[in-house]
């Protein structure tokens, strides 16, 4: 018999099974980030091959986010209906085909359309992963598991950069899109095996029953307006632009500011996502260690440490060398990873279990909204000023007020039944 917490929510047969699901979910997020980050890793080659400028490249980054903004809440609602296992599996099949289709783009308009389609098909990824972890992992370990989950994005970025750059250098940028897209076909059997036999039931009610479109949209809006989710949206809007720059613009920043050859930047590109991992896992484990019963809690001191690290983006314009700039970008990524984990664990611990994916989709949509606004603005600032300083200072300036708003936002204590 599985152990049961104070509210009767089953904790699962053992933590090891929960960690296996968490690893599979994390690798799924890695696959999604490889596919979405390939265009950033080979951004200079794509711009040259399709004759697009920095502002247009910013719109390419924003195109993915535009689709994600609209479809992440809808995908979250859909995953709550059909379950994380099926939802994640169907999504990876669809986005793998779209990611490979990037190789056939012959113009900015075609690539822009494909980026929108990729955002649509990847929208279920985070909501499904978050639901899987919440259902499979015992309560006291959820923050640590979310920390592991967020490493999926940086692992994907670390894989995308060297693989895509190698393929682009040897076969051209079109081959890079095809080569990175095939990873989803290797992950899918592992996901289906790991989640077999109802392992994501979590001892809770099954997937939410289908509802008329109007009722579904009304429910999404109701979840979005709840205090735990609303405060998380504010925090994400302020912190997401930092990671947007680090993950999407660092390759071009190193080439254009520090005059490094494209073939010589791959080793630098490992450090920002690696430090993101350290921040996500480290802050996640610290938060879990403080909450033995899995109660949601706002760790104000940890939030402030992560905030100060993320704000180091403001110091990049004053770097005296490429290694110093990469160090500051990497520390900012560590802070961003910590903020993502702390905000996610706090928020999902305060919403009903059956609305986990919906809430996760809304926070993912907030991240996309931040990218939609920040990416084109950053690209335009770079074109207008012929440098990166204004973009870095502008993006770094919004972190502190957003995190302070989250930390001091009035919210009711979480019930153990929701953790």
């Amino acid at each position: 018999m599985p152990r049961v917490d104070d509210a009767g929510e089953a904790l699962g047969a053992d933590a090891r099974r929960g960690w296996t699901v968490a690893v599979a979910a994390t690798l799924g997020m890695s696959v999604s980030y490889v596919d979405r980050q390939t265009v950033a890793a080979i951004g200079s080659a794509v711009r040259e091959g399709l004759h697009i400028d920095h502002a247009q490249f910013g719109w390419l980054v924003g195109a993915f986010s535009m689709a994600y903004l609209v479809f992440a809440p809808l995908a979250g609602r859909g995953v709550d209906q059909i379950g994380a296992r099926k939802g994640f599996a169907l999504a990876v099949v669809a986005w793998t085909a779209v990611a490979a289709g990037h190789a056939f783009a012959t113009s900015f308009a075609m690539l822009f359309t494909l980026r929108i389609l990729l955002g649509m098909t990847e929208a279920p990824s985070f909501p499904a992963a978050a639901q899987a972890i919440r259902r499979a992992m015992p309560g006291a370990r959820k923050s640590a598991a979310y920390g592991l989950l967020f490493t999926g994005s940086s692992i994907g970025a670390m894989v995308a950069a060297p693989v895509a750059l190698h393929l682009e250098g040897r076969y051209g940028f079109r081959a890079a899109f095809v080569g990175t897209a095939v990873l989803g076909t290797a992950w899918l059997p592992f996901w289906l095996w790991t989640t077999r036999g109802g392992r994501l039931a979590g001892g809770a009610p099954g997937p939410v029953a289908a509802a008329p479109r109007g009722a579904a949209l009304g429910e999404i809006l109701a979840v979005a307006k709840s205090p735990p989710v609303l405060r998380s949206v504010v925090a994400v809007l302020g912190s997401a632009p930092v990671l947007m720059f680090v993950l999407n613009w660092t390759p071009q920043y190193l080439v254009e500011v520090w005059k490094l050859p494209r073939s010589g930047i791959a080793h630098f590109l490992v450090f920002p996502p690696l430090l993101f991992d350290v921040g996500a896992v480290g802050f996640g484990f610290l938060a879990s260690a403080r909450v033995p019963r899995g109660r949601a809690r706002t760790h104000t001191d940890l939030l402030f440490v992560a905030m100060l690290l993320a704000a180091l983006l403001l110091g990049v314009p004053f770097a005296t060398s490429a290694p110093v700039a990469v160090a500051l970008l990497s520390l900012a990524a560590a802070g961003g990873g910590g903020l993502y984990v702390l905000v996610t664990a706090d928020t999902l611990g305060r919403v009903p279990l059956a609305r986990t994916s919906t809430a996760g989709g809304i926070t993912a949509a907030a991240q996309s909204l931040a990218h939609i606004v920040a990416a084109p603005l950053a690209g335009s600032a770079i074109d207008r000023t012929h440098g990166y300083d204004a973009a870095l200072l502008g993006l770094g300036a919004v972190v502190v007020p957003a995190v302070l708003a989250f930390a001091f936002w009035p919210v009711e204590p979480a019930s153990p039944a929701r953790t």
Side-chain angles (χ1 to χ4, degrees), residues 190-367:
F190 178 58
W191 171 252
L192 294 175
W193 177 81
T194 301
T195 56
R196 70 194 186 282
R199 294 189 177 188
L200 302 186
V208 181
R213 178 180 298 179
L217 291 176
E219 183 174 320
I220 291 171
L221 290 175
V223 174
K225 291 188 293 186
S226 64
V229 176
L230 194 58
R231 72 199 282 256
S232 74
V233 168
V234 172
V236 170
L237 288 175
S239 57
V242 171
L243 290 172
M244 181 281 298
F245 182 89
V246 173
L247 294 177
N248 290 283
W249 293 93
T250 296
Q252 295 183 74
Y253 167 78
L254 293 174
V255 170
E256 296 173 14
V257 173
W258 297 104
K259 310 304 179 184
L260 300 178
R262 285 202 298 265
S263 59
I265 64 173
H267 63 288
F268 278 121
L269 299 182
V270 171
F271 292 101
L274 179 62
L275 266 290
F276 177 93
D277 285 353
V278 172
V281 173
F283 281 98
F285 272 92
L286 286 173
S288 283
R290 291 178 165 191
V291 192
R293 293 185 181 179
R295 291 177 181 267
R297 170 184 167 185
T298 302
H299 302 274
T300 306
D301 54 345
L302 296 180
L303 277 168
F304 287 171
V305 173
M307 174 189 73
L308 293 174
L309 288 173
L312 288 176
L313 193 73
L314 294 167
V316 177
F318 307 100
T320 56
S321 65
V324 172
V326 171
L328 291 171
L329 289 164
S330 301
L331 290 171
L339 290 175
Y340 275 12
V341 170
L342 295 170
V343 169
T344 298
D346 183 284
T347 302
L348 296 187
R350 298 178 189 274
V351 299
L353 180 62
R355 303 295 179 264
T356 299
S357 290
T358 303
I362 291 167
T363 58
Q367 180 184 17

Side-chain angles (χ1 to χ4, degrees), residues 167-195:
L167 292 173
E168 182 271 322
R170 188 158 186 172
Y171 304 108
F173 75 87
R174 299 184 187 282
F177 285 122
V178 176
T180 55
V182 300
L183 294 176
T185 60
W187 170 84
L188 184 56
F190 178 58
W191 171 252
L192 294 175
W193 177 81
T194 301
T195 56

Side-chain angles (χ1 to χ4, degrees), residues 32 126 140 202 272 311:
S32 75
F126 179 75

